[in-house]
Amino acid sequence: MTENNKTQLRVGRLTKAHGLKGAIKLELFTDDPERRFVPGAVFTLQVPTSSPWHGETLELAELRMYNGHPVGFFKGVSDRTAAEGLVKAILWIDLDEADAVSTEPDAWYDHQLVGLRVERDGEQVGTVKLVEHMPAQDLLIVKTNEGTEVMVPFVKAIVPSVDLAAGVVTVTPPTGLFEELPDDDEPAPPASDAE
Protein backbone atom coordinates (compact mmCIF):
# COMPACT_ATOMS: atom_id res chain seq x y z
CA MET A 1 0.00 0.00 0.00
CA THR A 2 1.34 3.42 -0.85
CA GLU A 3 -0.04 6.46 0.87
CA ASN A 4 1.29 10.01 0.49
CA ASN A 5 4.35 8.66 -1.36
CA LYS A 6 5.19 6.44 1.63
CA THR A 7 5.42 2.71 1.23
CA GLN A 8 3.44 0.82 3.82
CA LEU A 9 3.65 -2.76 5.00
CA ARG A 10 0.62 -4.81 6.07
CA VAL A 11 1.45 -6.26 9.50
CA GLY A 12 -1.81 -7.50 10.98
CA ARG A 13 -5.58 -7.74 11.09
CA LEU A 14 -7.90 -7.21 14.03
CA THR A 15 -10.06 -10.31 14.34
CA LYS A 16 -12.22 -10.30 17.46
CA ALA A 17 -13.00 -8.24 20.56
CA HIS A 18 -11.47 -9.82 23.68
CA GLY A 19 -12.99 -9.10 27.08
CA LEU A 20 -14.71 -5.91 28.17
CA LYS A 21 -11.82 -3.41 28.31
CA GLY A 22 -11.25 -2.82 24.58
CA ALA A 23 -8.72 -5.57 23.87
CA ILE A 24 -8.73 -7.05 20.35
CA LYS A 25 -7.32 -10.36 19.10
CA LEU A 26 -4.86 -10.03 16.24
CA GLU A 27 -3.81 -12.07 13.24
CA LEU A 28 -0.16 -11.18 12.62
CA PHE A 29 1.23 -10.82 9.08
CA THR A 30 4.81 -10.20 10.19
CA ASP A 31 7.72 -12.42 11.12
CA ASP A 32 8.93 -9.70 13.50
CA PRO A 33 6.08 -8.92 15.94
CA GLU A 34 8.52 -7.93 18.71
CA ARG A 35 9.70 -5.08 16.49
CA ARG A 36 6.43 -4.10 14.79
CA PHE A 37 4.07 -4.36 17.79
CA VAL A 38 5.76 -2.31 20.50
CA PRO A 39 3.98 0.19 22.76
CA GLY A 40 3.67 3.47 20.87
CA ALA A 41 3.61 1.82 17.41
CA VAL A 42 1.14 3.68 15.18
CA PHE A 43 -0.86 1.82 12.54
CA THR A 44 -2.76 3.16 9.55
CA LEU A 45 -6.16 1.47 9.41
CA GLN A 46 -7.67 -0.11 6.32
CA VAL A 47 -11.41 -0.08 7.00
CA PRO A 48 -14.54 0.53 4.90
CA THR A 49 -15.21 4.19 4.09
CA SER A 50 -18.42 3.92 6.14
CA SER A 51 -16.44 3.14 9.31
CA PRO A 52 -15.94 5.92 11.87
CA TRP A 53 -12.29 4.77 11.92
CA HIS A 54 -11.79 5.50 8.19
CA GLY A 55 -8.74 7.75 7.73
CA GLU A 56 -7.70 7.30 11.37
CA THR A 57 -4.63 5.73 12.94
CA LEU A 58 -4.38 3.47 15.95
CA GLU A 59 -1.64 3.51 18.58
CA LEU A 60 -0.68 0.32 20.40
CA ALA A 61 -0.60 0.57 24.20
CA GLU A 62 0.32 -3.07 24.84
CA LEU A 63 0.50 -6.49 23.17
CA ARG A 64 -0.15 -9.56 25.32
CA MET A 65 -0.44 -13.26 24.58
CA TYR A 66 -3.56 -15.13 25.77
CA ASN A 67 -3.65 -18.89 25.17
CA GLY A 68 -1.09 -18.48 22.39
CA HIS A 69 -3.05 -15.71 20.62
CA PRO A 70 -1.81 -12.11 20.38
CA VAL A 71 -4.17 -9.56 21.90
CA GLY A 72 -3.70 -5.81 21.44
CA PHE A 73 -4.68 -2.95 23.71
CA PHE A 74 -4.93 0.36 21.81
CA LYS A 75 -5.14 3.99 22.95
CA GLY A 76 -8.67 5.33 22.60
CA VAL A 77 -10.24 1.85 22.54
CA SER A 78 -11.50 1.48 26.09
CA ASP A 79 -14.48 -0.86 25.88
CA ARG A 80 -15.85 -3.85 24.00
CA THR A 81 -18.14 -1.72 21.80
CA ALA A 82 -15.20 0.30 20.50
CA ALA A 83 -13.19 -2.90 19.97
CA GLU A 84 -16.04 -4.51 18.00
CA GLY A 85 -16.09 -1.47 15.70
CA LEU A 86 -12.51 -2.28 14.68
CA VAL A 87 -12.97 -5.99 13.91
CA LYS A 88 -11.62 -6.89 10.43
CA ALA A 89 -9.50 -3.70 10.24
CA ILE A 90 -6.13 -4.28 8.57
CA LEU A 91 -3.10 -2.68 10.18
CA TRP A 92 -0.41 -1.00 8.07
CA ILE A 93 2.86 0.63 9.13
CA ASP A 94 5.14 3.05 7.33
CA LEU A 95 8.09 1.10 5.96
CA ASP A 96 11.57 2.34 6.83
CA GLU A 97 13.78 2.93 3.79
CA ALA A 98 16.21 0.37 5.23
CA ASP A 99 13.42 -2.22 5.24
CA ALA A 100 12.02 -1.40 1.80
CA VAL A 101 13.65 -4.49 0.24
CA SER A 102 13.30 -7.96 1.71
CA THR A 103 16.65 -9.69 2.14
CA GLU A 104 15.18 -13.16 2.62
CA PRO A 105 15.35 -15.53 -0.35
CA ASP A 106 11.93 -16.21 -1.90
CA ALA A 107 10.31 -13.47 0.22
CA TRP A 108 9.03 -10.20 -1.22
CA TYR A 109 6.99 -7.28 -0.05
CA ASP A 110 3.83 -6.60 -2.04
CA HIS A 111 5.18 -3.26 -3.31
CA GLN A 112 8.18 -5.07 -4.81
CA LEU A 113 5.92 -7.31 -6.92
CA VAL A 114 3.24 -4.85 -8.09
CA GLY A 115 4.04 -3.60 -11.59
CA LEU A 116 6.42 -6.43 -12.54
CA ARG A 117 6.05 -8.03 -15.99
CA VAL A 118 4.57 -11.52 -15.94
CA GLU A 119 6.14 -13.82 -18.53
CA ARG A 120 5.32 -17.31 -19.74
CA ASP A 121 7.79 -19.06 -22.07
CA GLY A 122 9.65 -15.74 -22.50
CA GLU A 123 6.54 -13.85 -23.67
CA GLN A 124 4.83 -11.17 -21.56
CA VAL A 125 1.28 -12.17 -20.64
CA GLY A 126 0.57 -9.26 -18.29
CA THR A 127 1.70 -7.32 -15.23
CA VAL A 128 1.21 -7.85 -11.49
CA LYS A 129 -1.61 -5.55 -10.38
CA LEU A 130 -2.04 -6.68 -6.77
CA VAL A 131 -1.08 -9.35 -4.24
CA GLU A 132 -4.00 -10.90 -2.36
CA HIS A 133 -3.25 -12.69 0.91
CA MET A 134 -5.65 -15.59 1.34
CA PRO A 135 -5.75 -18.12 4.20
CA ALA A 136 -4.54 -21.03 2.04
CA GLN A 137 -2.02 -19.17 -0.14
CA ASP A 138 -1.22 -15.82 -1.65
CA LEU A 139 -2.53 -14.88 -5.10
CA LEU A 140 -0.97 -12.64 -7.72
CA ILE A 141 -3.66 -10.62 -9.48
CA VAL A 142 -2.31 -10.25 -13.01
CA LYS A 143 -3.70 -7.75 -15.50
CA THR A 144 -3.34 -9.49 -18.85
CA ASN A 145 -2.36 -7.87 -22.14
CA GLU A 146 -6.05 -8.11 -23.10
CA GLY A 147 -7.08 -6.12 -20.00
CA THR A 148 -8.65 -8.95 -18.02
CA GLU A 149 -7.55 -9.99 -14.54
CA VAL A 150 -6.29 -13.46 -13.72
CA MET A 151 -5.72 -14.84 -10.22
CA VAL A 152 -2.43 -16.78 -10.16
CA PRO A 153 -1.66 -18.93 -7.09
CA PHE A 154 1.67 -17.66 -5.74
CA VAL A 155 3.22 -21.11 -5.32
CA LYS A 156 6.58 -22.40 -6.59
CA ALA A 157 4.95 -24.85 -9.03
CA ILE A 158 3.18 -22.01 -10.90
CA VAL A 159 5.50 -19.06 -10.12
CA PRO A 160 8.98 -20.65 -10.24
CA SER A 161 10.94 -17.39 -10.21
CA VAL A 162 10.79 -13.71 -9.36
CA ASP A 163 13.61 -11.54 -10.70
CA LEU A 164 13.31 -8.09 -9.13
CA ALA A 165 16.40 -6.78 -10.95
CA ALA A 166 14.93 -7.71 -14.34
CA GLY A 167 11.39 -6.77 -13.27
CA VAL A 168 10.02 -10.17 -14.26
CA VAL A 169 7.81 -12.78 -12.63
CA THR A 170 8.02 -16.07 -14.54
CA VAL A 171 4.90 -18.24 -14.55
CA THR A 172 4.26 -21.81 -15.67
CA PRO A 173 0.47 -21.86 -15.37
CA PRO A 174 -1.78 -24.78 -16.14
CA THR A 175 -3.51 -24.69 -19.52
CA GLY A 176 -6.53 -22.42 -19.46
CA LEU A 177 -5.36 -20.01 -16.74
CA PHE A 178 -4.47 -17.25 -19.22
CA GLU A 179 -6.56 -18.34 -22.20
CA GLU A 180 -9.98 -19.75 -22.86
CA LEU A 181 -10.04 -23.43 -23.62
CA PRO A 182 -11.77 -24.59 -26.80
CA ASP A 183 -15.02 -26.45 -26.29
CA ASP A 184 -14.10 -30.12 -26.70
CA ASP A 185 -17.57 -31.38 -25.94
CA GLU A 186 -18.98 -33.33 -28.85
CA PRO A 187 -22.70 -32.89 -29.38
CA ALA A 188 -24.62 -35.90 -28.12
CA PRO A 189 -25.84 -38.18 -30.89
CA PRO A 190 -29.58 -37.91 -31.56
CA ALA A 191 -31.67 -40.41 -29.66
CA SER A 192 -32.83 -43.33 -31.82
CA ASP A 193 -36.40 -44.54 -31.76
CA ALA A 194 -35.39 -48.00 -32.99
CA GLU A 195 -35.08 -50.71 -30.36
Side-chain angles (χ1 to χ4, degrees):
M1 183 168 157
T2 304
E3 193 163 291
N4 300 332
N5 295 325
K6 286 185 183 175
T7 299
Q8 293 196 311
L9 180 66
R10 185 181 73 127
V11 293
R13 183 171 66 92
L14 303 175
T15 61
K16 183 178 178 183
H18 179 81
L20 301 174
K21 296 184 178 176
I24 310 171
K25 286 187 177 180
L26 288 152
E27 178 182 3
L28 301 179
F29 301 144
T30 177
D31 294 334
D32 200 359
E34 296 81 16
R35 181 172 160 217
R36 305 289 187 201
F37 287 88
V38 295
V42 176
F43 304 96
T44 301
L45 295 172
Q46 180 181 341
V47 293
T49 55
S50 59
S51 168
W53 289 96
H54 182 72
E56 300 293 325
T57 59
L58 200 58
E59 182 177 338
L60 183 69
E62 184 179 1
L63 182 69
R64 296 183 193 166
M65 296 299 280
Y66 287 98
N67 297 324
H69 294 287
V71 175
F73 294 83
F74 298 92
K75 289 188 178 180
V77 183
S78 57
D79 61 29
R80 187 173 185 91
T81 302
E84 287 173 346
L86 283 163
V87 169
K88 296 185 181 176
I90 297 176
L91 304 176
W92 296 80
I93 60 163
D94 289 339
L95 190 62
D96 298 333
E97 287 303 316
D99 292 337
V101 177
S102 176
T103 55
E104 294 179 42
D106 294 334
W108 303 274
Y109 291 126
D110 294 3
H111 72 272
Q112 291 177 285
L113 299 170
V114 172
L116 295 184
R117 290 188 319 275
V118 178
E119 293 185 356
R120 176 180 59 188
D121 300 325
E123 296 291 323
Q124 182 172 345
V125 293
T127 57
V128 178
K129 179 181 176 186
L130 181 68
V131 181
E132 288 282 348
H133 301 277
M134 308 304 282
Q137 68 198 17
D138 293 340
L139 294 172
L140 296 179
I141 308 302
V142 176
K143 185 169 185 176
T144 67
N145 298 338
E146 291 76 34
T148 59
E149 290 183 6
V150 174
M151 293 184 288
V152 178
F154 196 13
V155 295
K156 195 76 168 169
I158 297 174
V159 184
S161 73
V162 174
D163 186 340
L164 294 178
V168 174
V169 174
T170 302
V171 295
T172 55
T175 304
L177 190 61
F178 279 93
E179 62 279 324
E180 295 213 15
L181 294 175
D183 238 348
D184 289 338
D185 296 335
E186 291 291 321
S192 171
D193 291 337
E195 294 198 21

